[in-house]
Amino acid sequence: MLVSTSEWWRSAVIYQVYPRSFADADGDGVGDVDGIRAHLGHLRDLGVDAIWMSPWYPSPMADAGYDVADFRDIDPVFGTLAKAEALIEEAHSVGIRLIVDIVPNHISSEHPWFKAALASPDAPERDYFWFRPGKGANGDEMPTNWRGEFGGTTWTRTPDGLWYLHLFTPEQPDLNWDHPDVRAEFESILRFWFDRGVDGIRIDSAALLFKDKTLPEVREGEPHPFHDLDEVHDVYRAWRRVADEYAGDRALIGEVWMPEVERFANYLRPDELHAAFNFDFLGCAWEPRLMRECVDRTLDAHRAVGAPATWVLSNHDVTRHVTRYGRLDTTFSFDNNLDGTTVDLSLGTRRARAAALLSLSLPGGTYIYQGEELGLWENENIPPESYQDPMWARRGHSRDGCRVPLPWSADEPPFGFSSGDPWLPQPPEWKDLTASAQTGDPNSMLELYRAAIARRRLEDGLHRPAMAWLDLGPEVLAYTRGDRFACVINMSGSPIPLPDHETTLLASGPLDGDRLPQDTAVWLRLTA
Ligand code: NOJ
């Protein structure tokens, strides 16, 4: 049963389900709600507190469901609303909360609002979007030269000569958040899902909602015309009031990509969102000084607003971290495309194991992207003609490599994912990484995650905000939490002696006697 612990979101382990690729029950090669229901035991045994469900709504799938045509239903490829309701109930019955993904910046061009807006220049729905005349004598130049979030242009011309704004693909027209109907509609959508028992909302592209109505160009040193405009905070204050109307600590979790931590923290003021994804950490190099600075920066910014930090290593948009950490350049940024550069997967895996113990023992909430508990790497061998991600055409980088269907069992694709052909190809080498191959193997990534999450539950100190650095030299990350709990990660090039300890609680790899090998992490109970 779901135990109601207040403010559960402060130190929850939240598992991202990407429904297309989790498990397919009906054999069409695309994952679905029944597939998730059939594998709830995996999530229960893993020990996660909540699931964040990437969009499952009716959608033409121009952006894998982030182009929503109806927020109050489920796409037939995934199932039905009744099945989604059953999943919420079944998850709750095994103690797992459920978070849905809401996409407020844009909707699908197939949404009834946009269809009505296109049908007539006089339709009131036009005002729900950004229709503007073009520049130039014939109005055939775009209103601005804003670059899209996937690259490329951001305006498309309609048959009657006006242009509409889309920060992503043309199939994702941006909504006009200055319009009260847009605000009212989204508050009603939140209620629709809260009424169905969901425990939280993940907010897509949370900082992009407002645009400067004078449509200036993006210029260095001037306020950005569509990133992080102050008006957005009013919307989240209103959403917080909606969430607070419901019992059970419903959480709002923002997708906020923002280089300035102070601006980022504004979203987490006590009357706004509960948490936001830490992309600073996700993009940080596997390098002790930079990691430590990132952790400090994160904790300082969150402390200032009383919000919990989050620790995110991967998601459905970024290169899987086994691959990232196996490269020479271990950072991640959309502007620095490292696709196809040399990867040492065994190094990446060793670091990913250490990173699991890091992200599961820092103060705050931890996010696990499906498959990271299996140690999956980016599939960089998908033939480009099989790419489905709209980013590929615009930016020359596809996010499909991290969206490959999960391997559950058996020795060859589709590895129990489906009885049909998976929508993206799985590497045959994943035969050693299936959930069933790893179960019971104490050296597997899956058993490491299970053990770490189970230990995390028991350690009271890991659910409190306090943390103190231990100085074991510049190339070692080491800190204590609570009752003599310590995490030590050796990022130097050679083994290091461990501090005095009573017990080794968990290690990400074999120890070298009483020494900790490079790229290995350990959880210790220090000597009193
Ligand atoms: C962020 C989502 O995570 C990504 O997958 C999507 O393409 C964009 N927002 C647009 O909705």
Side-chain angles (χ1 to χ4, degrees):
M1 278 311 287
L2 197 61
V3 188
S4 179
T5 39
S6 68
E7 304 202 325
W8 61 274
W9 40 270
R10 284 194 180 272
S11 67
V13 177
I14 300 179
Y15 182 98
Q16 180 187 358
V17 169
Y18 193 69
R20 298 185 75 73
S21 301
F22 189 76
D24 171 24
D26 65 8
D28 64 358
V30 176
D32 47 40
V33 175
D34 279 345
I36 302 165
R37 293 167 72 190
H39 287 277
L40 263 184
H42 174 77
L43 302 177
R44 182 202 53 217
D45 295 349
L46 189 57
V48 302
D49 299 298
I51 304 170
W52 146 33
M53 192 68 63
S54 275
W56 50 2
Y57 318 105
S59 164
M61 305 287 168
D63 183 19
Y66 282 91
D67 47 322
V68 180
D70 177 0
F71 274 105
R72 296 181 181 82
D73 205 349
I74 300 295
D75 195 282
V77 81
F78 297 135
T80 61
L81 186 57
K83 289 182 181 186
E85 288 168 342
L87 171 64
I88 296 168
E89 203 179 306
E90 288 159 14
H92 284 172
S93 75
V94 293
I96 297 178
R97 292 183 158 84
L98 196 134
I99 295 164
V100 292
D101 203 326
I102 297 291
V103 188
N105 180 67
H106 45 268
I107 54 177
S108 164
S109 51
E110 293 299 310
H111 187 284
W113 277 5
F114 194 71
K115 291 212 273 197
L118 272 193
S120 149
D122 303 322
E125 287 84 355
R126 282 240 159 163
D127 295 339
Y128 297 167
F129 300 92
W130 287 83
F131 283 87
R132 290 292 182 280
K135 285 184 176 163
N138 305 318
D140 52 10
E141 291 166 31
M142 283 177 287
T144 68
N145 292 310
W146 295 350
R147 182 171 178 267
E149 297 292 303
F150 292 161
T153 58
T154 51
W155 297 90
T156 293
R157 203 167 193 187
T158 58
D160 58 33
L162 293 188
W163 299 76
Y164 69 89
L165 174 69
H166 49 84
L167 294 183
F168 294 90
T169 71
E171 293 81 16
Q172 295 165 293
D174 277 49
L175 287 164
N176 170 17
W177 274 87
D178 294 308
H179 200 298
D181 290 1
V182 173
R183 294 180 183 229
E185 171 65 358
F186 274 85
E187 287 176 27
S188 153
I189 291 166
L190 296 190
R191 288 199 170 86
F192 178 89
W193 287 104
F194 284 148
D195 287 340
R196 277 163 184 72
V198 308
D199 303 278
I201 308 285
R202 180 262 185 189
I203 305 164
D204 187 78
S205 305
L208 299 181
L209 272 45
F210 285 84
K211 282 90 195 176
D212 182 335
K213 287 189 273 299
T214 66
L215 302 185
E217 292 298 342
V218 177
R219 285 200 185 85
E220 184 84 30
E222 287 180 21
H224 198 283
F226 58 87
H227 282 176
D228 188 36
L229 270 63
D230 286 338
E231 294 91 316
V232 76
H233 296 288
D234 246 17
V235 169
Y236 298 134
R237 282 188 201 105
W239 287 25
R240 180 61 173 255
R241 288 193 291 275
V242 174
D244 287 348
E245 282 168 22
Y246 288 81
D249 282 308
R250 315 293 171 108
L252 303 173
I253 301 160
E255 189 211 12
V256 184
W257 291 86
M258 184 95 49
E260 305 87 21
V261 276
E262 295 77 21
R263 303 273 322 172
F264 173 87
N266 283 343
Y267 289 76
L268 301 174
R269 289 176 288 199
D271 57 349
E272 297 193 39
L273 309 183
H274 298 79
F277 299 105
N278 186 351
F279 295 117
D280 190 23
F281 180 70
L282 184 152
C284 185
W286 186 256
E287 203 276 327
R289 184 180 57 81
L290 295 175
M291 271 289 184
R292 189 190 316 237
E293 284 171 7
C294 170
V295 170
D296 279 337
R297 198 164 48 236
T298 299
L299 294 177
D300 289 349
H302 287 78
R303 195 177 301 114
V305 285
T310 66
W311 308 102
V312 186
L313 292 167
S314 280
N315 69 25
H316 65 293
D317 291 331
V318 307
T319 307
R320 282 191 177 273
H321 61 275
V322 165
T323 298
R324 293 197 325 259
Y325 290 157
R327 287 175 174 159
L328 199 58
D329 179 346
T330 51
T331 60
F332 179 82
S333 148
F334 285 112
D335 294 326
N336 181 22
N337 188 344
L338 297 170
D339 295 348
T341 56
T342 309
V343 183
D344 176 343
L345 287 176
S346 76
L347 174 66
T349 301
R350 197 161 74 236
R351 290 175 171 171
R353 293 175 65 89
L357 296 199
L358 169 69
S359 68
L360 284 164
S361 66
L362 286 168
T366 303
Y367 288 77
I368 297 175
Y369 174 49
Q370 68 177 36
E372 82 173 60
E373 80 282 18
L374 301 177
L376 301 188
W377 61 80
E378 186 82 1
N379 184 0
E380 296 198 280
N381 291 321
I382 301 175
E385 59 276 15
S386 303
Y387 282 149
Q388 307 219 3
D389 180 12
M391 195 185 263
W392 167 243
R394 290 170 179 76
R395 225 170 177 160
H397 165 76
S398 169
R399 297 169 295 177
D400 290 319
C402 67
R403 298 176 175 179
V404 174
L406 294 189
W408 289 100
S409 56
D411 285 333
E412 55 188 15
F415 294 123
F417 166 74
S418 171
S419 55
D421 276 341
W423 70 284
L424 285 173
Q426 299 159 304
E429 299 85 352
W430 282 3
K431 69 178 179 7
D432 300 324
L433 299 182
T434 64
S436 62
Q438 296 194 45
T439 295
D441 172 357
N443 300 319
S444 70
M445 186 74 92
L446 178 56
E447 293 298 351
L448 178 72
Y449 268 82
R450 286 178 177 159
I453 296 170
R455 169 54 62 181
R456 176 186 169 103
R457 265 183 200 278
L458 298 175
E459 287 290 326
D460 193 46
L462 293 183
H463 301 278
R464 299 178 187 282
M467 154 183 171
W469 290 113
L470 274 179
D471 184 6
L472 299 182
E475 297 194 285
V476 180
L477 279 194
Y479 47 89
T480 56
R481 310 277 322 273
D483 181 23
R484 292 180 289 123
F485 176 98
C487 176
V488 182
I489 304 156
N490 180 5
M491 292 183 165
S492 77
S494 49
I496 55 155
L498 284 172
D500 287 345
H501 57 282
E502 215 168 76
T503 341
T504 300
L505 302 170
L506 195 59
S508 70
L511 301 185
D512 175 0
D514 220 13
R515 297 187 326 150
L516 184 65
Q518 68 189 90
D519 294 318
T520 306
V522 70
W523 285 358
L524 302 172
R525 177 86 56 227
L526 297 178
T527 313

